[in-house]
Amino acid sequence: NIMGTFNKNNIIIPTQSRKGVNEKDVDNPNLYVAPLGGAIYNTGKLNLSNAVFTSNSVSAKVDLVTAVYNPPNSLMAQDTITKYVGRGGAIYTDSTENLLILKSTFTKNSAAQSGGAIHNNNADSVVDIIDSDFTSNTAKTEKITTHTTTIMNGSKTKTTTTKTKETIGDGGAIYAAGNVEINTNEEYKTLVDSSNKFDKNAAANGGAVYAGGTVNGQFASFSNNSATNNGGAIYTKNNVDFKNSTFSKNSATSDGGAIYGKHVTVQDNR
């Protein structure tokens, strides 16, 4: 079990540059090293109890320059992609063991790619949260693509440059490759004395929670979470089931202001 306070921990990786990248491989994670777990990197069993994580972060800059290629009607084209990478602002875990978070708080942690507070990378592991609070954690950054084309016009060439920006990042508070359970563990039900709070977390998808599996919970409060794409509070392509919970003032610019899911069930919610 881990108790204690983790404050302002981070991983420092210098800017990484790659040239001559195939245009189809710009999102290949093997082209760069992403920082993992600002405070904790785990590959075994991890239980947290009354732990406090504040202002931990992971972010590293990556510049990718594609090889020159020849699209139709152009002499040549080249892209330069600038983005920031990093997973698990406070905690990164990759284990088949379930992750237990008991009466802990996560505030103002950030990750460039996913899991502003926690990134769980193993789909066979459950993120099991009991009576804990997640506030103002973020997982989002801009991916900037500079596209340069050179077109032959008789004996002259004309070069044009355009820039596009895309906000990326999944799970402002929690990214889980598998299932997420909030206050559902029968073993700890007597310890739940208040709502599990997710407040003011933000990401591109899943302002508070992004899950590859199901998301189930009770006695939880989601408020003021936001997503620039889908799922203001929760994003999953699987089922969502909540009881006795509150969803208030969450927002998304695309689909699912509060919840984006395959089949959503809410019962006795406040």
Side-chain angles (χ1 to χ4, degrees):
N1 292 346
I2 290 181
M3 303 174 66
T5 300
F6 298 79
N7 184 38
K8 295 183 179 179
N9 299 286
N10 60 61
I11 298 172
I12 300 173
I13 297 178
T15 298
Q16 303 168 76
S17 298
R18 299 288 184 272
K19 296 182 178 181
V21 177
N22 188 298
E23 60 177 303
K24 298 178 181 179
D25 293 334
V26 294
D27 290 319
N28 184 347
N30 294 323
L31 293 175
Y32 49 80
V33 176
L36 307 173
I40 295 174
Y41 177 96
N42 173 67
T43 57
K45 189 172 182 63
L46 178 61
N47 293 339
L48 305 176
S49 178
N50 293 291
V52 177
F53 293 82
T54 305
S55 299
N56 303 285
S57 64
V58 286
S59 180
K61 186 179 180 181
V62 176
D63 290 323
L64 303 174
V65 182
T66 66
V68 174
Y69 58 98
N70 300 102
N73 304 318
S74 296
L75 178 62
M76 68 175 191
Q78 191 172 50
D79 294 331
T80 301
I81 296 94
T82 299
K83 63 181 179 179
Y84 291 83
V85 297
R87 303 181 187 277
I91 298 171
Y92 178 95
T93 181
D94 192 349
S95 171
T96 56
E97 298 277 2
N98 293 345
L99 171 62
L100 176 64
I101 304 165
L102 176 63
K103 291 186 176 297
S104 297
T105 61
F106 295 79
T107 306
K108 294 183 179 179
N109 301 285
S110 65
Q113 286 177 286
S114 56
I118 298 169
H119 178 109
N120 179 22
N121 204 52
N122 197 304
D124 293 328
S125 170
V126 175
V127 177
D128 196 358
I129 305 167
I130 308 295
D131 204 14
S132 298
D133 294 340
F134 296 80
T135 304
S136 299
N137 302 285
T138 60
K140 64 177 183 177
T141 188
E142 279 191 338
K143 174 183 175 182
I144 302 173
T145 301
T146 303
H147 181 67
T148 303
T149 57
T150 302
I151 301 173
M152 182 69 73
N153 184 11
S155 60
K156 299 180 180 180
T157 59
K158 180 181 179 181
T159 299
T160 60
T161 300
T162 59
K163 283 189 177 183
T164 58
K165 295 182 180 181
E166 176 188 4
T167 301
I168 59 174
D170 299 325
I174 295 170
Y175 175 99
N179 299 340
V180 176
E181 298 287 336
I182 301 172
N183 292 333
T184 62
N185 192 318
E186 287 294 317
E187 182 178 352
Y188 298 97
K189 66 180 181 180
T190 59
L191 298 179
V192 179
D193 54 22
S194 63
S195 292
N196 199 112
K197 297 182 180 66
F198 292 85
D199 186 39
K200 298 185 181 71
N201 303 287
N205 295 293
V209 177
Y210 181 107
T214 60
V215 182
N216 301 311
Q218 60 182 347
F219 307 115
S221 172
F222 290 83
S223 59
N224 303 298
N225 302 288
S226 62
T228 55
N229 292 331
N230 301 309
I234 297 170
Y235 177 97
T236 179
K237 292 184 179 178
N238 285 286
N239 296 342
V240 178
D241 191 336
F242 272 85
K243 300 176 182 177
N244 298 304
S245 298
T246 300
F247 292 84
S248 174
K249 297 182 180 179
N250 303 287
S251 63
T253 58
S254 188
D255 297 326
I259 301 172
Y260 182 106
K262 181 179 179 181
H263 181 74
V264 177
T265 302
V266 290
Q267 302 178 56
D268 302 319
N269 287 325
R270 302 186 293 275

